[in-house]
Amino acid sequence: MSVFGRPPGQQPSTAGSSNAGSSKASLRRKKDITYGIEFQFLVAVVRNGDEDPHPRDTRGFVRWQPGSDYGALQKTIVDIILNNVIRAARFRAWTYNGPPYPDWDLVRRMDLASQSVAAGLAYTQWVVVADEDSLWFPGQIDDSPYGWIGVKVKTNKRNTNRINHFDRVAHFCTGIQHALRIRTLPSSSLMIHVGEEFFDIMEYEMIPRSLRVFCTLWWFLESRIMALAHPSRHDHVRCRALRDFSVLAHTSNRELERITQESSMSEMNWASCWQDQMRSIMPRNRLSLREEAEVEFIWRVAEAKRLCQMLEVYTVEFVKMPVTGTREPQPILGRGSIGLQGICENAWPESPDRNNDGHTGTIEFRFMQGTCDPLLTAHWLAIVTRLFEISRSGSDYSIMALIFKCSRPHTKYSSIELLFDLGLFDQVQVFRDMQKDYAAEQQEANVVVPLVVPLAEENEGEGEGGEDGAEGSLGGEDEISGSSSIDTIMSTP
């Protein structure tokens, strides 16, 4: 039985709550959990004049003229996905990487497909954009005869309380695999944004209890959850672990004590309410002094912005140089295994990515390897939504039990045991088999695929070919074929 199993009729514990009546009322008004998924994958391109490497493969690819404009090639691929995959499946989609959403002057300059859905409510549109970080020339991946161009597809906001909430996502996964020659790499990403149906930014700026509980849980469960992903994700620059690379983890004890005092809520508020709520989920005499200081900061900090900044990680960003046009690594502070940018405005004023700055009210899970497999995507979705749910309504004792198991010194508590304790029994065998495959893969070959390949010399002629250099022709069928039934796809809890 999982630690979250309860006898019928038993309610979650409200121990440590300053107002039990309001806690029960909040449970009755509990908001639905919503999510959005970002798929990152590569689309095959073949040089003009080269033969089709796999002539019997009926799936499409894109013809590429060496020396042609790279931006035009990207636009061609985005249009193919938007028109031949998304629109054929009758999804509302555009190419604008919002939020914030554009004004009408900008809308009028968009393509017709994007203009047709611009008047829809926020997050009702799917988004198709080029992945600026991924450009692979022929032979750079497993000696493949193809070149590869990166693309990101973002789903709309979906409600887990609807029975068929995953159907459209599964239809897209099967449709894109039947329509185009694509591939995903462990170094590419599957990102899932999880939040609530209605989002009040003022509420999150004050850091509600559920967010503090989640950050505390993630601080201790992170290594076990990340162990479920492909080993290449464990030290990936896009999803570095908070316990190893965050500002909070690298702050000295004396400096952390000073920051905690400066950013703390009032002593009266802390002593009368939040201190007891923190103690209600923390195992006694099991944490080191350092861990106690880190957890106390999470619970004492008054503003979400300060919490987000302390949970940034030291990483690198590949920035396009204005003179050479190549992408060079630059050290920055950014998002790690999770991203809290969607709940707090202006937390990262130096970040170049401004399309999700306190607008979504979501926690972004970034540690999963790239995939377009609908079943694997559904399993990952079940895990991250479960973590989000227990931070909202899990009993204090159950949360304490999880932290206790993960905080014991020299513990042998595994990620598979964690899935059992979370009640995710359908996922146990799936990830157990995946971990065996990962171990066999590492034994057979210790080959690490490069994380990002910057623009190379094959693109030095960028701009010479112009729009005519990127041919928008598909090498195979340009319609979705075999978008099969998804009755077997489980609806995640």
Side-chain angles (χ1 to χ4, degrees), residues 269-281:
N269 196 16
W270 166 247
S272 63
C273 177
W274 291 106
Q275 186 176 27
D276 291 337
Q277 295 200 40
M278 180 191 73
R279 289 175 176 174
S280 69
I281 65 170

Side-chain angles (χ1 to χ4, degrees), residues 12 14 16 19 72 76 148 170 182 235 282 322 324 341 352 387 391 403 418 475:
T14 56
N19 191 331
T76 298
W148 301 94
I182 66 169
D235 56 357
M282 299 308 299
T324 62
Q341 188 175 5
L387 291 172
S391 67
I403 297 176
L418 174 60

